[in-house]
Amino acid sequence: MEQLTKGEIKVNIQTNVSKADLRQTVEHLAMSMPVTDMHTHLYAPEFGELLLWGIDELLTYHYLISESIRWSEEEYSHFWSMTKREQADWIWQTLFLDHSPVSEATSGFITILTRLGFDVSSRNLDDYRQELAKRSVNEQVDIVMQIAGIDKIVMTNDPFDSIERSVWLSGNGKKDPRFYAALRVDTLLNDWPLAVNELQNLGYDVQMEWSKQTIEETRRFLSEWIIRMDALYLAVSMPGDFQYPADDHRSKMIDEVMIPVCQGQNIPFALMIGVRRKVNPLLGLAGDMSMRSDVSAVEALCRRYPDQKFLITMLARENQHELTVLARKFRNLMIFGCWWFLHIESIVEEMTRFRVELLGTSMIPQHSDCRVFEQLIYKWEHSRKIIAKVLADKYEKLHYSGWNVTEEEIKRDLDDMLNQNFWRFLGKGQ
Ligand code: FIX
Ligand code: ZN
């Protein structure tokens, strides 16, 4: 790196990015740098039918189901009585042909088709289907990860799911080094009677009553599965009325099982807070809603357990600013992603902007929450553009003050946001 010495001040002349190139450089790097997607519902190919991909899965994504059924006057049961292909055809007709695909999820499908090289002007769904039918799942996984620029994917893994469990027990769960596990603990926290049943079936000696034996056995279950999966963190989705501390099952489970296990295994605990499940049960997965939450529950956790790391995202827009301020107070709190209904361009921009203004680059701006493999393409392309725009605005402002960022510094900042903040928080900095 060439340097000029002007008195005492060393000026790096080689990699300073001129104002004219700044925006372009930031955009180019943001669009192309490899990403760690730290929360998805995707699976490695070894998980067989659990890995969803292709046109029909994309069109029957639950985001598109709720958007399309708004246009229908049929009974909800009519939609569910159709085959997947019929549902996909109907959603295509309703959201793409009868109306314009301007929503985030519909425009995302168009982004996917375009990046896969399809002629979207033909509007011929069967052509797209036929093209994809020529590919194997392994080929498609490679192609999509390459187009989306994703090199590490964290799955959502539930040992109570019998299909998934058998993959882990057969030793195939850890074969693909691009995929990492996160152990989901929703049932333990949110449906204890069901969890007791599942744990007993798996041979753990637990009872409904909260006893020393039950605590020890639940800890044993979690520790064994963390090790089996090599899980990077424990994760749960919580309803908006989650309170902590409280005189309830969740607080006992957190204090006496989750935290001791996380500390024993040296992994973070991820809480995704603010879901109201099944506000319209007739919509299935598409029937969940968002709900304002109490940020002070996170505050209490971070204060009580300063040595425990918490990965936190919240679903209500109203909670975002307060949560970001809280992250300034606790270094054991890492905020992540624009979750679910917040994963729309206007809100991603708003959240990314004030997160950068309050925290600099010390947060994880996005995760994809993909359920269908090709969604990686649109979810990341749309978000990368926004991250680039927000950062470029900030660098430009610095430039006017005479502080010129170098290309290496831009790369470092983006790498922190897209990769390193996550891995370092885990104590696995790369
Ligand atoms: O709880 C979660 O991890 C949520 O992300 C999902 O349950 C939700 O259905 C989803 O797909 C959101 O994007
Ligand atoms: Zn999720």
Side-chain angles (χ1 to χ4, degrees):
M1 197 184 298
E2 202 180 325
Q3 291 195 324
L4 282 182
T5 306
K6 252 195 194 172
E8 288 307 300
I9 308 165
K10 294 206 165 166
V11 188
N12 170 359
I13 57 161
Q14 209 173 44
T15 51
N16 273 354
V17 184
S18 75
K19 157 100 178 19
D21 295 340
L22 189 55
R23 213 157 264 281
Q24 246 188 329
T25 306
V26 178
E27 174 144 343
H28 169 73
L29 290 171
M31 299 307 285
S32 58
M33 283 184 64
V35 164
T36 301
D37 195 343
M38 53 77 67
H39 170 58
T40 76
H41 298 264
L42 302 176
Y43 292 88
E46 286 72 18
F47 288 80
E49 64 187 286
L50 291 178
L51 165 49
L52 305 182
W53 67 287
I55 296 294
D56 293 342
E57 294 296 351
L58 286 166
L59 282 170
T60 54
Y61 184 32
H62 68 78
Y63 291 22
L64 294 179
I65 291 177
S66 53
E67 287 175 38
S68 56
I69 287 187
R70 292 182 53 71
W71 293 104
S72 165
E73 292 188 353
E74 302 273 6
E75 294 288 333
Y76 289 91
S77 56
H78 174 72
F79 177 82
W80 298 112
S81 71
M82 291 191 274
T83 62
K84 182 157 283 184
R85 191 185 172 107
E86 287 165 347
Q87 291 174 350
D89 282 335
W90 181 77
I91 290 176
W92 171 252
Q93 182 66 39
T94 307
L95 291 181
F96 294 82
L97 303 180
D98 295 347
H99 308 278
S100 292
V102 291
S103 72
E104 178 72 18
T106 52
S107 70
F109 183 68
I110 302 297
T111 303
I112 294 170
L113 295 179
T114 311
R115 297 293 171 238
L116 287 175
F118 299 145
D119 172 14
V120 292
S121 69
S122 79
R123 300 192 180 187
N124 189 335
L125 198 56
D126 282 332
D127 281 354
Y128 313 145
R129 278 187 176 121
Q130 276 162 24
E131 265 316 301
L132 285 194
K134 294 180 193 156
R135 293 183 190 167
S136 70
V137 61
N138 287 297
E139 277 165 352
Q140 186 69 341
V141 164
D142 293 348
I143 291 169
V144 169
M145 289 184 75
Q146 203 255 324
I147 295 174
I150 310 297
D151 66 353
K152 298 182 177 72
I153 294 175
V154 184
M155 307 178 279
T156 292
N157 303 98
D158 183 357
F160 292 158
D161 179 309
S162 58
I163 303 174
E164 186 171 328
R165 192 167 60 236
S166 63
V167 180
W168 290 111
L169 292 173
S170 70
N172 286 332
K174 282 197 295 197
K175 281 208 168 139
D176 190 326
R178 298 168 296 180
F179 291 80
Y180 297 82
L183 175 45
R184 196 69 178 221
V185 292
D186 294 43
T187 314
L188 292 176
L189 281 154
N190 297 330
D191 191 349
W192 180 234
L194 178 60
V196 169
N197 198 30
E198 296 280 355
L199 287 168
Q200 287 174 346
N201 290 339
L202 292 176
Y204 294 92
D205 189 5
V206 295
Q207 304 297 328
M208 273 298 290
E209 296 71 45
W210 200 244
S211 64
K212 200 165 167 284
Q213 170 80 358
T214 293
I215 293 168
E216 271 167 17
E217 281 292 275
T218 312
R219 286 186 188 178
R220 181 166 74 86
F221 160 75
L222 283 176
S223 304
E224 285 175 0
W225 276 92
I226 290 169
I227 292 165
R228 180 170 290 124
M229 293 174 169
D230 207 1
L232 297 181
Y233 58 84
L234 290 190
V236 63
S237 278
M238 287 291 204
D241 56 11
F242 166 58
Q243 291 292 333
Y244 180 90
D247 186 16
D248 63 6
H249 168 76
R250 287 198 186 106
S251 283
K252 280 192 288 217
M253 181 61 90
I254 290 173
D255 289 334
E256 295 171 57
V257 176
M258 304 289 158
I259 299 290
V261 168
C262 283
Q263 294 192 329
Q265 301 293 330
N266 197 20
I267 59 171
F269 186 17
L271 292 106
M272 310 173 62
I273 308 170
V275 192
R276 195 141 52 100
R277 298 275 182 206
K278 295 189 174 60
V279 289
N280 184 351
L282 298 172
L283 279 173
L285 259 190
D288 297 343
M289 173 77 187
S290 67
M291 185 178 178
R292 254 184 243 200
S293 309
D294 188 351
V295 177
S296 70
V298 179
E299 178 189 321
L301 281 168
C302 292
R303 193 172 37 240
R304 181 174 288 186
Y305 299 110
D307 297 328
Q308 174 60 41
K309 307 251 179 99
F310 295 96
L311 286 156
I312 305 283
T313 198
M314 286 185 149
L315 195 48
R317 182 189 187 186
E318 294 85 343
N319 288 127
Q320 300 310 321
H321 183 264
E322 192 181 350
L323 180 64
T324 309
V325 173
L326 191 67
R328 294 170 63 91
K329 312 297 152 195
F330 291 99
R331 63 181 177 185
N332 57 333
L333 165 57
M334 177 63 81
I335 57 170
F336 71 93
C338 304
W339 183 23
W340 205 338
F341 314 110
L342 303 171
H343 199 143
I344 55 173
E345 285 169 320
S346 57
I347 295 192
V348 173
E349 176 158 358
E350 170 186 295
M351 285 173 61
T352 307
R353 205 169 277 285
F354 72 66
R355 282 169 165 181
V356 166
E357 286 163 359
L358 282 164
L359 297 171
T361 57
S362 69
M363 44 83 189
I364 298 168
Q366 195 55 297
H367 68 272
S368 76
D369 237 310
C370 288
R371 283 180 178 263
V372 185
F373 214 79
E374 294 85 353
Q375 290 167 344
L376 286 169
I377 296 173
Y378 94 82
K379 298 220 183 202
W380 279 105
E381 180 175 321
H382 294 194
S383 290
R384 284 174 190 259
K385 275 195 185 132
I386 295 168
I387 294 166
K389 186 172 166 197
V390 171
L391 273 186
D393 287 350
K394 300 300 171 195
Y395 293 140
E396 225 168 63
K397 199 170 163 214
L398 289 172
H399 178 87
Y400 286 125
S401 313
W403 182 277
N404 293 317
V405 286
T406 64
E407 190 168 330
E408 287 72 22
E409 287 167 338
I410 298 172
K411 270 192 201 147
R412 173 205 58 201
D413 295 348
L414 279 164
D415 191 36
D416 281 346
M417 292 165 86
L418 300 174
N419 292 292
Q420 301 306 335
N421 290 345
F422 175 66
W423 292 107
R424 272 197 297 260
F425 198 67
L426 261 53
K428 298 177 195 279
Q430 294 165 348

